[in-house]
Amino acid sequence: MAKKSKIARYNKQRELIEKYATVRRELKAAGDYEALAQLPKDSNPNRLRNRDSLDGRPRGYMRKFNMSRLNFRQYAHLGQIPGVRKASW
């Protein structure tokens, strides 16, 4: 489980990215990189660190399932992820 402050910071950064998405797109299309540099740094989507949607873990993240490897394994064994089965051969 990640610290509550890290999860809150992550959520705040996601809101900033959504808020400035259209502005960033317009400035980039116009080629105005000076104005783009004046926007908040955290509004750049490249700075966003993907985190587990369940507990906020930043490492071992699986994009397809939006969760870390630990939670993926736990829920896959319980059969709670559709289309995922334990391999046996």
Side-chain angles (χ1 to χ4, degrees):
M1 180 80 186
K3 291 174 23 175
K4 300 285 185 192
S5 59
K6 291 285 188 180
I7 295 172
R9 185 178 183 187
Y10 172 74
N11 292 332
K12 183 179 177 184
Q13 188 175 359
R14 287 191 68 109
E15 291 172 7
L16 267 177
I17 290 170
E18 291 175 15
K19 180 179 177 182
Y20 287 99
T22 55
V23 176
R24 291 186 70 82
R25 197 176 312 114
E26 292 168 0
L27 290 175
K28 233 176 175 179
D32 190 0
Y33 296 107
E34 293 174 4
L36 200 59
Q38 298 302 316
L39 295 176
K41 283 186 178 182
D42 279 343
S43 68
N44 187 348
N46 292 339
R47 291 174 57 94
L48 185 67
R49 172 85 169 165
N50 289 327
R51 289 184 171 270
D52 186 339
S53 60
L54 301 171
D55 64 1
R57 182 182 167 86
R59 299 198 177 199
Y61 180 81
M62 301 171 78
R63 283 186 187 178
K64 186 175 181 180
F65 301 100
N66 197 23
M67 61 176 63
S68 68
R69 61 183 176 80
L70 302 174
N71 284 326
F72 173 79
R73 186 168 188 267
Q74 176 186 355
Y75 287 104
H77 280 301
L78 294 174
Q80 295 180 350
I81 302 175
V84 175
R85 289 180 26 171
K86 187 172 182 216
S88 61
W89 61 90

